[in-house]
Amino acid sequence: MISAKFQPNQTSSIEQRREQLKDWMRLCRESTLTLFDGMDYQTFCQQVHPDFSPVGWHLGHIAYTECLWLLERCAKSSFTPVFKQRKNIDHRRLFAADGLPKGERANLPTLADTIDYLAAVRKQVFDYLQVVPLNEQERLWRFILQHESQHCETICFLLELQRIKSKPNQLLISSLSFPLIENHQSREIEIPAGEFEMGSDSLDALDNERPRHRVYLDSYLIDKYPVTCGEYRQFMLAGGYQNQELWSPAGWEWLQNNSIIQPLYWKEDAVWDNHPVCGVSWYEADAYARFVEKRLPTEAEWEKAASWDAAAGVRRTYPWGEALPDGELCNHNYIYRGTTPVNAHPTGESSYGLQDVLGNVWEWTASWFDGYEGFEYYPYRGYSQVYFDGEHRVLKGGSWVTRPFGLRCSFRNWYHPFVREIFAGFRCARSC
């Protein structure tokens, strides 16, 4: 497990910050390689879903990206990997995000060769770290660390897709058991009108989180917990998937074209009733919200309720404050090997009283992904800006596999509204 200690420390010396980066990168890489322990070549190369590359491609892409940015563009050194068993592979064309189409990324080096590729790049990276002008480059190094973490989250849900295809009745679930929460109609929290600070300018903040800015919101109500499987089952039993009136036009068209009748990660067992529903598209989340005569929160509403400490007039990095994430505060970093009950981490609640805000499942919001006023892309336009296309919805909060390096209230995830393969759920809101 990764020790959750990822935060800027501006009072540390350059040498201390070098050692911090090295420790974080080692911990992150150990966790990455654990995902591939004992993996066979078929699993490594299988494209389990047409919209996503094989897990082995993601592993090679991690090495390629680290090499491209830290060695080639910063250290000005060249690097060509040696693949012993797949000697004619063009690693740049294969592992670049804009190289081969996803459907042509299955002819991969072996797992052993790919691990050697990562190790060879990392050795040179650590050599460069000893002389790097850190005041100029630390933001980039933190980006690379988060880039690896984000691809590992993709690897995790792709492995879960492979697993449920082979063993559909064996979904992961933690052993934690908590009393069932009260009915959803009585667990809303009112967020008073007023301004708050949204986004982040911290050293680890990605380009789409910047700049930090003030936003005014009218008062609204938001659910204390994410929607549970028990609650979502009522939507299913009431014919929610058959009732066109509950769906947006685009959502209904998607539903008819795909014959969806339940969430992707669903198991008909009451033991799940206190866990957040997981594996739903934005369309499904939106339809459920209409079913209970509510709506999805905007990204700003979600972030204010999650991070704003009105009494102190400050934005919190985490719902509970500045203490670093651990297994008592939230379900993240593969600690519980599955979702946990939504009321399993009461010590992690926000200043306004929201629970289960970070980790467990990503939460869909009503907002389209876009840049804040004053947005500047970093380190390249293709990371965020190309997705400001009015076709991607924002998700917040992280999941049970999200690593601490990207776990914070200001972090923004984005996907097409039809995507349901990610570990995503939602909570509802309504206007006062």
Side-chain angles (χ1 to χ4, degrees), residues 79-241:
F79 182 91
T80 301
V82 176
F83 299 122
K84 299 175 183 177
Q85 299 183 48
R86 291 283 192 279
K87 295 184 179 180
N88 296 321
I89 286 179
D90 180 351
H91 75 286
R92 294 180 186 276
R93 186 162 182 258
L94 174 58
F95 291 124
D98 57 354
L100 293 174
K102 291 182 176 66
E104 298 178 18
R105 295 175 177 178
N107 184 24
L108 296 166
T110 63
L111 173 58
D113 271 358
T114 307
I115 290 175
D116 286 346
Y117 177 24
L118 272 88
V121 170
R122 180 54 60 86
K123 182 181 183 303
Q124 290 194 30
V125 164
F126 278 173
D127 288 344
Y128 177 54
L129 181 57
Q130 300 310 306
V131 297
V132 66
L134 205 55
N135 286 335
E136 301 172 16
Q137 291 187 22
E138 187 170 1
R139 182 183 175 192
L140 178 62
W141 286 69
R142 289 172 179 266
F143 168 83
I144 293 298
L145 185 59
Q146 293 183 74
H147 173 269
E148 178 167 341
S149 299
Q150 290 166 30
H151 277 276
C152 285
E153 177 139 359
T154 302
I155 290 167
C156 285
F157 72 69
L158 291 175
L159 290 175
E160 179 70 355
L161 287 176
Q162 290 194 35
R163 195 179 65 79
I164 64 173
K165 284 188 175 183
S166 61
K167 299 177 180 179
N169 295 319
Q170 296 184 24
L171 294 179
L172 294 177
I173 186 169
S174 75
S175 60
L176 292 183
S177 178
F178 276 68
L180 286 174
I181 58 175
E182 67 270 23
N183 183 272
H184 69 267
Q185 294 294 345
S186 61
R187 57 182 176 90
E188 295 175 314
I189 293 174
E190 182 173 353
I191 310 299
E195 285 191 338
F196 79 105
E197 287 186 351
M198 185 174 183
S200 174
D201 292 327
S202 68
L203 194 57
D204 52 305
L206 301 175
D207 61 0
N208 59 68
E209 297 173 66
R210 299 167 180 247
R212 186 174 65 182
H213 56 287
R214 297 190 71 85
V215 175
Y216 175 87
L217 294 176
D218 291 330
S219 59
Y220 60 97
L221 296 163
I222 188 168
D223 286 356
K224 181 173 183 174
Y225 304 105
V227 172
T228 64
C229 291
E231 292 168 342
Y232 198 86
R233 183 180 291 107
Q234 299 307 308
F235 167 74
M236 294 165 61
L237 292 174
Y241 280 98

Side-chain angles (χ1 to χ4, degrees), residues 46-63:
Q46 181 182 358
Q47 187 185 25
V48 68
H49 190 282
D51 291 340
F52 300 97
S53 303
V55 296
W57 181 89
H58 288 276
L59 188 64
H61 176 71
I62 288 169

Side-chain angles (χ1 to χ4, degrees), residues 182 187-192 220-227 297-308 316 318-321 329-330 342-358 363 365 396-397 409 426-429:
E182 67 270 23
R187 57 182 176 90
E188 295 175 314
I189 293 174
E190 182 173 353
I191 310 299
Y220 60 97
L221 296 163
I222 188 168
D223 286 356
K224 181 173 183 174
Y225 304 105
V227 172
T298 65
E299 180 183 9
E301 289 173 335
W302 188 99
E303 193 165 327
K304 179 178 181 178
S307 67
W308 187 240
R316 295 176 171 183
Y318 311 107
W320 52 84
L329 293 167
C330 63
V342 297
N343 54 347
H345 299 89
T347 56
E349 75 175 17
S350 73
S351 174
Y352 286 114
L354 267 67
Q355 290 193 24
D356 214 31
V357 175
L358 292 190
E363 298 183 25
T365 73
K396 302 286 284 185
C409 293
F426 60 101
R427 75 180 72 215
C428 296

Side-chain angles (χ1 to χ4, degrees), residues 316-390:
R316 295 176 171 183
T317 302
Y318 311 107
W320 52 84
E322 299 307 311
L324 301 170
D326 61 30
E328 294 296 316
L329 293 167
C330 63
N331 177 17
H332 70 296
N333 199 28
Y334 226 87
I335 294 174
Y336 298 104
R337 307 280 171 168
T339 61
T340 51
V342 297
N343 54 347
H345 299 89
T347 56
E349 75 175 17
S350 73
S351 174
Y352 286 114
L354 267 67
Q355 290 193 24
D356 214 31
V357 175
L358 292 190
N360 223 6
V361 294
W362 289 99
E363 298 183 25
W364 287 107
T365 73
S367 299
W368 294 106
F369 184 55
D370 203 351
Y372 299 143
E373 184 176 354
F375 169 85
E376 296 180 1
Y377 69 78
Y378 181 90
Y380 59 100
R381 183 178 177 274
Y383 179 70
S384 295
Q385 190 170 347
V386 295
Y387 300 101
F388 300 161
D389 54 7

